[in-house]
């Protein structure tokens, strides 16, 4: 059809259609600008929405990993400082034992040392019962039970009441890491040896017997220092994982934003364009609507 | 021939041009009436014999007898009508579908900061917090709240979709009413047109009305029509007559026995179903019976996956309460319609089974196992979360209490340790708890073994060692199945499943002599792909299931034998029980993301089709308007022309009057 016949009714319909189309596009851009998002609904960009959901999932997951890392770090910080204090106590015990093994020492002086040993045993038991929130950190899975029970005063026995349960935290998609240390393995046997040492001191045992205790204290010290090193290593790993997770978060936020968020300069340019189009459409309608043959006939 | 004939001719002209003015006035009055076709007076010269059929001879040297306004015709192109009505059907079909789907899209409201994906993420995060602090009452309260928010959102989405489906059903009823109203009016108009045109007149405005009604019906359903000799139009809806002459075959809405809770339209006279391949009715039915139920099904699969997998782990764990709770399900319900947090846990969060053993308040390992489900590739569509793989052995009692009533046993076979002869007695308490007792020949029955049937249609096979083996299930892409019963076995080394497959069980069935069908859900379920088999040589070969041009699944096989692996043997091997099932499983987040993005693509697709058919309709409407519409300038011109013609005819009368005056008053013998 070369020359289409335009009728008045059709002109009205088309003009309404043009205006609706232009204001529809204008509305879409305004919605994008006011929400700051170019994907309002999945149908705006189904493939983009799929990616955006995937990024959001990963972002949420990484945020939780950082929460897990924070929680584990706090737990291990307490463990670390407790083990530091234990190391100091054991070093003091070693000094005292070396002193007591000196054959020239009088019994009163040994009695004094025994008293201090006694205090240190109780101090160590107290350290073994350190808590994180409501949880006894050295009790394994039995965290509502104190790890060590002290019998008698002065103590005649210190018994381990926990278990070897591991407190696992997920720190990444692939890894779960135990944040606690085994209380029995770290402290357990030292108490029996220390109580024996104190009793020997009180009973005036020969220096060679006291001397033998230095070895046991040394091995206890080794175990505590080893545990402390293990915690330190895990803390370093947690710190590194934090940094990795944060970096991942930044990258994913950027990717998510590229897909979901509106590109302001381009949206504003488009807005301007649509406004011009609307103005032009209105102007054209205004000019042609009044044009009829009747104006030219008498 | 005398002067009076000239007067007669002039009077005819006056009448004709007055009619033309009337018609122009009618056109101008209806310039904005929808469906109106402009009308024209058909002016014809009147011949000597008084008819408008005159020969050259008869006219030779003589004037005619003036003009005759023979008819008032409407200007219309029936072929354009036909094309326009076809595209109207498409436009309203896709319009209806896209409207329904857009509404469904709002229910999911994703990607966003408060959509369902966020609630899922919070649910898993809640479990991680319990893992971090199993002793903490606060962490347990958080998971209770996160779960309740998630379940109520799932339930709400499900009920909104159901409500939407009911609304669409009401639309079907309303469409039935509209069909009846239009058809009844059309029959009445048919009758009037017949009456008017029988007497030789043109029923122009009635015809316009009839065209409007045909437009309306074409937008509703697939309509075909034909004008009969008596000027009535016979209309068919689908393949059934709707209007013949002035008779209407009304439609009515009745409960559809094949579609619970839904109605269908039938013809009242013979009960035949109303069928249509286009129009609003088709669009509404597609949304009601295909798209919305599909979404409901996916939501149910998601919920059932959560229920099954979390419960299977939760029942074996222990709470921190005293005495320690165990054997509790985490979720109650079966799908998205009724998924809810177990009320016992809501009132007593200490009973949440974070620990793997009793009296271990610091043990979050069971909670960790549940949190790990987020990363499990096979949670949705898998059978519980036990990561079942072919041949996996599950300790008796491990799954006790799981998925009550979720399935039944289809077959049981097996032998007891050491190959002892004897018999099995299997009882199912109807709650999914299976007791298996073995009685050796001549011996006392062995202690009962408790186990759980995990899903319908899956064989539970008892194997030596009193353990249960859950059927030949395959995870995507990784499993090895033995596909040859004897000799050097041909081994399937890899299975790749296309991303379009919905999680669930797929069955391989024979299709003709050299083909295989991949069916969803059961051995009689819908076919999602077909494989055309050919003989495979030594070494690696691939069997592909295709749907159109898309590959939906491939099985890679390795044939170690020197002889080719024949098509017949492939068909026999792959359809034998034990080799004929594929299990497609998915992690929860990607599954949910698929729901949203596939729905989004469907909405975008439907909108695109609606837009393009809208464009087509608009274009054709333009053409129709171009032919039939009123142009005021044109009418003004016609009016002007008619006015001039009228004036001229009047002048003719004056002239003849003058001539008669001359003849009568100024000539003659009396002068």
């Amino acid at each position: 059809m070369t020359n289409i016949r335009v009728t008045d009714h059709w002109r009205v319909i088309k003009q309404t259609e043009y205006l609706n189309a232009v204001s529809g596009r204008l509305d879409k851009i305004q919605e994008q600008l006011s929400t700051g998002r170019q994907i309002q609904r999945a149908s705006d960009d189904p493939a983009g929405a799929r990616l955006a959901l995937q990024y959001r999932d990963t972002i949420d997951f990484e945020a939780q990993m950082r929460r897990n890392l924070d929680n584990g770090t706090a737990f291990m910080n307490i463990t670390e400082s407790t083990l530091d204090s234990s190391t100091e106590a054991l070093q003091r015990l070693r000094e005292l034992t070396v002193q007591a093994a000196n054959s020239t020492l009088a019994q009163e002086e040994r009695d004094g040392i025994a008293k201090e040993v006694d205090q240190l045993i109780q101090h160590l038991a107290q350290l073994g019962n350190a808590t994180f929130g409501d949880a006894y950190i050295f009790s394994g899975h039995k965290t509502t039970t104190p790890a060590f029970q002290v019998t008698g005063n002065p103590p005649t026995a210190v018994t381990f009441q926990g278990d070897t349960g591991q407190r696992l935290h997920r720190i990444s998609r692939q890894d779960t890491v135990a944040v606690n240390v085994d209380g029995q393995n770290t402290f357990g046997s030292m108490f029996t040896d220390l109580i024996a040492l104190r009793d020997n001191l009180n009973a005036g045992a020969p220096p060679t017997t006291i001397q033998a205790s230095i070895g046991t204290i040394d091995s206890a010290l080794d175990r505590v220092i080893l545990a402390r090193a293990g915690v330190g290593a895990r803390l370093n790993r947690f710190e590194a994982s934090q940094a990795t997770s944060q970096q991942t978060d930044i990258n994913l936020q950027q990717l998510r934003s590229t897909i979901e968020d509106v590109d302001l300069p381009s949206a504003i340019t488009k807005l301007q364009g649509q406004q011009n189009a609307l103005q032009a459409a209105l102007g054209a309608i205004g000019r042609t609507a009044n044009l009829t043959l009747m104006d030219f006939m008498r | 021939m005398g002067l009076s004939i000239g007067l007669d001719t002039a009077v005819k002209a006056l009448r004709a041009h007055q009619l033309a003015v009337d018609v122009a006035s009618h056109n101008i009055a209806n310039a904005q009436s929808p469906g109106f076709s402009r009308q024209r007076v058909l002016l014809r010269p009147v011949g000597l014999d008084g008819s408008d059929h005159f020969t050259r001879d008869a006219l030779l040297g003589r004037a005619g007898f003036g003009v005759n306004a023979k008819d008032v015709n409407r200007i219309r192109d029936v072929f354009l009508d036909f094309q326009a009505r076809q595209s109207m059907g498409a436009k309203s079909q896709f319009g209806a579908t896209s409207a329904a789907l857009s509404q469904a899209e709002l229910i999911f409201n994703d990607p966003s900061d408060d959509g369902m994906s966020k609630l899922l993420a919070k649910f898993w995060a809640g479990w991680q917090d319990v893992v971090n602090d199993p002793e903490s009452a606060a962490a347990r309260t958080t998971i209770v709240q996160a779960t309740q928010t998630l379940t109520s959102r799932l339930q709400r989405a499900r009920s909104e979709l159901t409500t939407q489906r009911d609304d669409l059903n009401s639309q079907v009823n309303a469409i039935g009413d509209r069909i009846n109203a239009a058809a009844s009016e059309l029959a009445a108009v048919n009758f009037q047109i017949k009456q008017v045109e029988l007497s030789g007149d043109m029923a122009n405005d009635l015809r316009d009305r009839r065209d409007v009604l045909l437009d309306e019906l074409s937008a509703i359903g697939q309509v075909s029509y034909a004008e009969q000799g008596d000027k009535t139009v016979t209309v068919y809806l689908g393949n059934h007559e709707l209007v013949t002459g002035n008779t209407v075959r009304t439609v009515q809405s009745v409960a559809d026995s094949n579609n619970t809770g839904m109605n269908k339209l039938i013809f009242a006279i013979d009960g035949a179903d109303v069928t249509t391949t286009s129009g609003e009715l088709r669009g509404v039915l597609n949304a009601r019976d295909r798209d919305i139920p599909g979404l409901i099904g996916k939501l149910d699969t998601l919920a059932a996956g959560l229920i099954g997998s979390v419960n299977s782990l939760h029942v074996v764990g222990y709470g921190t309460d005293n005495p320690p709770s165990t054997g509790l399900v985490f979720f109650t319900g079966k799908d998205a319609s009724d998924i809810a947090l177990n009320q016992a846990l809501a009132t007593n969060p200490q009973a949440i089974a974070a620990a793997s053993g009793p009296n271990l308040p610091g043990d979050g390992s069971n909670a960790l196992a549940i949190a790990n489900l987020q990363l499990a590739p096979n949670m949705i569509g898998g059978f519980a979360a036990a990561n079942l793989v072919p041949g996996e052995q599950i300790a008796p009692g491990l799954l006790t209490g799981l998925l009550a009533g979720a399935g039944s046993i289809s077959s049981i076979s097996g032998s007891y340790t050491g190959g002892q002869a004897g018999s099995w007695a299997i009882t199912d308490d109807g709650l999914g708890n299976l007791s298996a007792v073995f009685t050796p020949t001549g011996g006392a029955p062995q202690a009962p073994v408790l186990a759980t049937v995990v899903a319908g249609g899956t064989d539970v096979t008892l194997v030596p060692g009193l353990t249960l083996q859950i059927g030949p299930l395959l995870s995507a892409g990784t499993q090895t199945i033995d596909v040859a019963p004897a000799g050097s076995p041909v081994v399937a080394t890899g299975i790749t499943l296309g991303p379009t497959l919905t999680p669930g069980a797929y069955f391989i069935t024979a299709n003709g002599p050299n083909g295989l069908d991949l069916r969803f859900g059961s051995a009689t379920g819908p076919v999602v792909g077909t494989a055309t088999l050919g003989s495979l040589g030594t070494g690696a070969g691939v069997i592909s299931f295709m749907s159109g041009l898309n590959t939906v699944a491939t099985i890679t096989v390795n044939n170690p034998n020197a002889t080719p692996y024949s098509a017949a043997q492939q068909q026999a091997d792959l359809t034998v029980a034990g080799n004929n099932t594929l299990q497609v499983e998915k992690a929860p987040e990607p599954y949910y993301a698929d729901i949203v993005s596939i729905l989004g693509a469907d909405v975008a697709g439907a909108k695109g089709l609606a837009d393009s058919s809208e464009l087509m309709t608009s274009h054709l409407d333009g053409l129709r308007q171009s032919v039939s519409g009123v142009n005021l300038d044109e009418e003004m011109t016609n009016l002007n022309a008619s006015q001039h013609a009228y004036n001229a005819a009047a002048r003719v009368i004056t002239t003849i009057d003058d001539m008669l005056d001359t003849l009568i008053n100024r000539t003659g013998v009396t002068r």
Side-chain angles (χ1 to χ4, degrees), chain B residues 218-538:
Chain B
S218 305
I220 294 174
Q222 173 209 0
V223 162
S224 49
Y225 57 92
E227 187 168 324
Q228 306 298 314
D230 63 356
K231 311 299 181 194
T232 62
V233 159
T234 308
V235 183
Y236 286 81
L237 176 59
N239 295 319
H240 195 285
E241 66 178 19
L242 180 67
V243 179
T244 317
N246 56 347
T247 317
V248 185
R249 304 287 181 224
T250 51
V251 300
Q252 71 183 74
S253 176
V254 293
D256 186 351
S257 55
N258 297 324
N259 196 351
T260 317
M262 295 295 134
N263 283 358
K264 63 173 180 178
L265 295 178
I266 59 165
F267 287 97
I269 189 162
D270 52 10
D273 286 354
V274 172
T275 56
T276 179
T277 53
S278 68
E280 188 184 349
L281 180 60
R282 183 72 265 153
V284 169
L285 288 177
N286 279 352
R288 188 194 75 174
D289 296 338
R290 186 192 65 195
D291 301 331
I292 305 288
L295 283 172
I296 291 176
K298 285 175 180 174
L299 213 51
D300 281 349
T301 307
L302 177 70
L306 275 172
I307 294 169
S309 52
V310 174
N311 281 359
S312 72
L313 293 168
H314 194 267
V315 289
V316 298
Y318 291 82
T320 54
D321 47 348
N322 192 21
S325 297
T326 186
L328 293 175
V329 293
F330 186 76
F331 288 113
T332 55
K334 59 182 190 313
D335 56 30
S337 68
D338 56 1
I339 184 174
L341 176 65
N342 185 352
Q343 196 50 38
L345 301 176
T347 49
N348 178 21
Q350 295 304 319
I352 291 172
S356 299
N359 303 315
L360 299 174
D363 178 15
S365 57
N366 201 46
L368 182 63
I370 293 174
N372 286 349
L373 288 171
Q374 185 186 10
L375 306 171
N378 59 347
M379 196 193 101
I380 306 293
F383 290 88
N387 298 323
L388 300 178
V389 293
E392 176 169 338
Q393 301 200 330
I394 295 168
L398 181 66
L399 299 173
T400 306
L402 165 70
L403 283 184
S408 57
I409 310 161
S410 51
S411 75
I412 294 174
S413 62
S415 63
Y416 190 59
T417 318
Q420 271 178 284
S423 63
W424 287 95
I426 310 292
T427 54
D428 184 358
D429 66 1
L431 296 171
N433 294 321
L434 173 70
S435 302
V437 181
F438 179 73
T439 310
T441 312
Q446 306 289 319
V449 179
L450 257 190
T452 301
V453 185
V454 177
T458 304
D459 293 356
V460 177
T461 311
L462 296 171
V463 298
L466 270 181
T467 55
L468 286 177
Q469 184 178 33
I470 307 295
L473 305 177
L474 300 165
S475 284
T478 52
Q479 310 306 325
T480 299
I481 53 169
D482 173 8
V483 293
S488 288
V490 178
V491 168
T493 53
I495 295 169
T496 313
L497 300 168
T500 54
L501 292 183
T502 324
Y506 289 80
F507 289 80
I508 302 171
T509 57
N511 164 18
N514 287 322
L516 293 171
D517 279 339
L518 187 63
R519 293 170 182 272
F520 179 59
S522 71
T524 55
V527 177
V528 294
T530 49
T532 310
L533 300 173
S535 186
L536 295 174
T538 299

Side-chain angles (χ1 to χ4, degrees), chain A residues 120-161:
Chain A
L120 285 167
I121 289 171
Q122 296 203 29
H123 179 53
L124 277 170
Q126 219 168 14
L127 287 172
N129 285 338
T131 55
F132 173 71
D134 306 328
Y136 290 95
I137 60 176
F138 294 110
S139 291
H141 280 162
K142 301 193 166 176
T143 45
T144 48
T145 315
F148 296 97
Q149 193 190 23
V150 182
T151 317
N153 189 16
T156 51
V158 176
T159 28
F160 180 65
Q161 306 187 103

